[in-house]
Amino acid sequence: MAGRRSLLVRLLAGAVLIALCSIAATAWLAARSTTVAIQEQQGQALADDASIYNTLIEYAATHRSWAGVDKVIAGLSEKTGRQISLSKGDRTPIAGKPVPTTRNASAFLDPLYVNLSMVAAEARGDQIDPHVVGPFALTAAQKAANSELAQPVLNCAQTTSGQGRIVVLPTGRSVVTDAPDVTLSRCSAGLLLAIVPPQLAWYEKLQKAVNTCLSTRGRVGSVEIAADFSWTIATGPAQVTPAVVPRPEPEAIDACLVSARVDILKPYVAPIALLFVTGPDSSASAEFDLSAANQKRIAGVAAGILGITVLITVIGGIRLVQPLRALTKASRQMTSGDEEIRVKVRGQDEIGQLSLAFNELADSRAKTESLRRAMVSDIAHELRTPLSNIRGWLEAVEDGIAQPDAAFIASLSEEAALLQHIIDDLRDLATADAGNLRIHPERVYLGLLLDQVVATYLSQAEHAEITLSSATDGDIELDADPVRLRQAIGNLVANALRFTPASGTVTIKARQEGPGIVIDVIDTGAGIAPEDLPKVFDRFWRAEQSRNRHTGGSGLGLP
C-alpha cells in the first residue's frame, strides 16, 4: 500500500506541476496575444496616419488651394474612423472641426517639403512630392506622342537585352527603364527625354536658376537639367576646361535644384496647412482593469483547472495501480508455488506489455520446472540402474550365487565408471552454473589434442564398428585449457558415436578461419531434425527421449 500511495503522490505532484505550467503558459499566451493585438492596432493607426497624410499631400500637390478638400476629409474620416481637421498657420480653420489653439498639430502639409517618414518607400526621393509638376506637365497631345514613341524603344530594348519596361513620370512623360544603359542608348531612348515648348522655357528657367545658385557658392562649371530633373555637367567648346574651373559638388547641385524647383512650383500648390488627427473617442481607455472581481475570476478559473487535473490524475492513477496490484498478487502466488497463475492482459500500453512479459516469465518458469522434474527423474533412473546392478552383484556374491572372478570385477568396474561419469557430469554442470568453472589456458597444439581425443574413444568406436579419425588443416596452435577443450570435443564425439550406426564414420576436423579456429565433429548418423536444431543446447533437452543404455547417456544433454 505504501508503494501505491507513493505512486499516487508522484502522479498527483506531476499533475499539479503540469497544471501550474499550463496556467502560466495560458497567462503568458494571453498577455502575449494582447501585446500583439496592441501592436497591430498601433501599426494600423500608423498606417491610417500615413494614408491620411499622403492623400492630403497629393491633394495639395495637384491643387492651388484647399477649396473642395472637405469631401476628401469626410471620406478619410469615414474610412479610418478618425477626426481630421485642417487649419492655416495662424489656426484659422480650413476644413473639419475647429481645434483648440493649445493643441499641437499632427503634421505640416507642404507638398514642397514632405515628411519622408510618412510616404511610401518607393516614392521617396527629394522632399518635393512627385505629384507636384506645375508648368513641367506635358499636354495631352504631348503625352500621346511621347507614349507612342516609347513603344518602339521598349521593343528594341527587349529584343536586344530581354529587359526593359515603360514608366510614366508624374509629368506625363513615358520613359523606358530597367534595361542596360548601352542598350537604351542604341535604341534612342534619349528621344523620350526631348524637351519641347511649352515646357522648354520653364526647363531653361530652372537650369538658369540652378547655375545662378551654384555661382553664389564660387566659380564652378555649369550643369544641364534633363526632362526627368536629372542633371549632367555641361560640356562643349564654350565650356571652360575642368582643370581651370572646378566641377560643382553633387550635393550642391541637388540643393540648388531643389531650391529652384520650389521657387517655380510654389504658385502651383496649395498653401502650407496644419493637420490635426484624433481618435473617434479620446476618452476611450485600452488599459486592463485588474479589479478584485477580475482577480477572483482568474483564481476561480485556475482552481477549476487544478481540480479537473487532480480528478483526471486520480482516475488515471487508480486505473494504473489496479493492474500493478494484480501483478504483485500474481508474483506472490507464483512464489508460493502456483505455476498456473496468469494475469489478464489489457491493451498494448506499458502495463499491457508488463503483463505480457509476466505471463511469458510464468510460462518459461513452468517449462523450466517441468524440465527440472524430468531431469531429476532421468538422473534418478540413471543412478538407480548402475547402483542396482552393483548391489545385485554384491548380494549375489554374499549369497554364494556368483563368484568374484575377473568378469565379475569388470562388470562392477563398468557400472562404477558409468556412475562416476554421471556424477562428474552433474558436478561440472553445477560448477558451471555457479560460475566457478575454472579455466587454465596454456599453449595447445590442436592436432595433438585431437589425436588424444581419438585415442580416448577409439576402443568405443571399434566396438561399435565405427571409423573414428581426425584431420587438421596445417599446424594450428592456440591458447586454451586442454582439459576443458578435450572434454567439450569428447562430449561431441561420444554423442556422435552413440547415434552413428555400424560401418559409419565420425571425423574431427580443425581449420583456421579468419582470426578464429573452427573444429567440426562430423558423423554419418541420423542427424538432427531441422525443427530440433534450435533446442540442441537447451538445458535438459535431448532429441532421443528414451533412457536406453545405448543412447541415454547421463540425461544432461549438450549444455
Side-chain angles (χ1 to χ4, degrees), residues 99-363:
V99 295
T101 56
T102 57
R103 186 166 188 174
N104 294 328
S106 302
F108 290 87
L109 296 178
D110 183 2
L112 300 178
Y113 191 80
V114 297
N115 185 348
L116 295 179
S117 64
M118 298 287 287
V119 300
E122 59 271 12
R124 293 174 186 171
D126 53 43
Q127 291 185 301
I128 300 176
D129 188 84
H131 297 94
V132 182
V133 292
F136 300 102
L138 300 184
T139 64
Q142 287 176 323
K143 290 180 182 178
N146 187 258
S147 176
E148 184 177 354
L149 182 62
Q151 191 60 46
V153 176
L154 176 64
N155 294 338
C156 174
Q158 291 181 341
T159 302
T160 304
S161 66
Q163 300 174 335
R165 64 187 180 95
I166 294 178
V167 175
V168 180
L169 301 178
T171 59
R173 185 181 300 274
S174 299
V175 296
V176 177
T177 62
D178 296 344
D181 293 338
V182 175
T183 300
L184 294 177
S185 177
R186 292 177 180 175
C187 294
S188 303
L191 296 176
L192 301 177
L193 297 176
I195 303 174
V196 296
Q199 298 83 23
L200 179 60
W202 291 102
Y203 277 100
E204 290 176 345
K205 181 179 180 179
L206 176 65
Q207 181 171 303
K208 181 178 179 181
V210 171
N211 286 317
T212 300
C213 174
L214 291 174
S215 65
T216 62
R217 299 171 180 262
R219 187 164 175 258
V220 293
S222 59
V223 298
E224 295 179 352
I225 307 301
D228 58 355
F229 301 112
S230 61
W231 52 264
T232 56
I233 303 298
T235 58
Q239 178 65 26
V240 181
T241 305
V244 178
V245 180
R247 296 168 62 93
E249 295 292 334
E251 294 80 4
I253 299 174
D254 291 336
C256 289
L257 179 58
V258 170
S259 176
R261 287 180 62 196
V262 168
D263 290 339
I264 294 175
L265 296 174
K266 187 175 295 184
Y268 296 91
V269 299
I272 298 175
L274 301 179
L275 172 63
F276 298 89
V277 180
T278 60
D281 185 7
S282 58
S283 62
S285 175
E287 296 181 358
F288 176 69
D289 181 19
L290 193 61
S291 60
N294 283 330
Q295 294 178 11
K296 292 181 179 179
R297 190 175 296 110
I298 293 174
V301 172
I305 294 176
L306 279 173
I308 294 173
T309 304
V310 170
L311 179 61
I312 294 175
T313 303
V314 170
I315 295 174
I318 292 175
R319 292 175 61 89
L320 178 64
V321 166
Q322 284 179 343
L324 292 178
R325 293 180 64 188
L327 283 169
T328 302
K329 181 179 179 181
S331 298
R332 289 173 178 171
Q333 289 178 324
M334 181 184 294
T335 304
S336 300
D338 187 355
E339 297 181 4
E340 302 299 327
I341 187 64
R342 300 293 186 274
V343 294
K344 186 177 180 180
V345 179
R346 297 182 176 90
Q348 298 295 324
D349 56 4
E350 289 79 0
I351 298 298
Q353 295 296 323
L354 179 59
S355 301
L356 183 62
F358 176 85
N359 290 339
E360 292 175 350
L361 175 63
D363 292 339

Side-chain angles (χ1 to χ4, degrees), residues 536-555:
V536 168
F537 293 104
D538 287 352
R539 182 66 62 85
F540 309 141
W541 181 90
R542 57 186 178 184
E544 177 61 48
Q545 297 297 327
S546 67
R547 299 190 184 93
N548 63 73
R549 301 304 302 273
H550 180 65
T551 61
S554 65

Side-chain angles (χ1 to χ4, degrees), residues 468-493:
L468 176 62
S469 62
S470 65
T472 304
D473 187 6
D475 189 11
I476 301 176
E477 298 181 28
L478 73 158
D479 291 326
D481 187 328
V483 176
R484 295 304 178 186
L485 183 58
R486 196 161 47 238
Q487 181 183 13
I489 299 174
N491 286 340
L492 294 174
V493 171

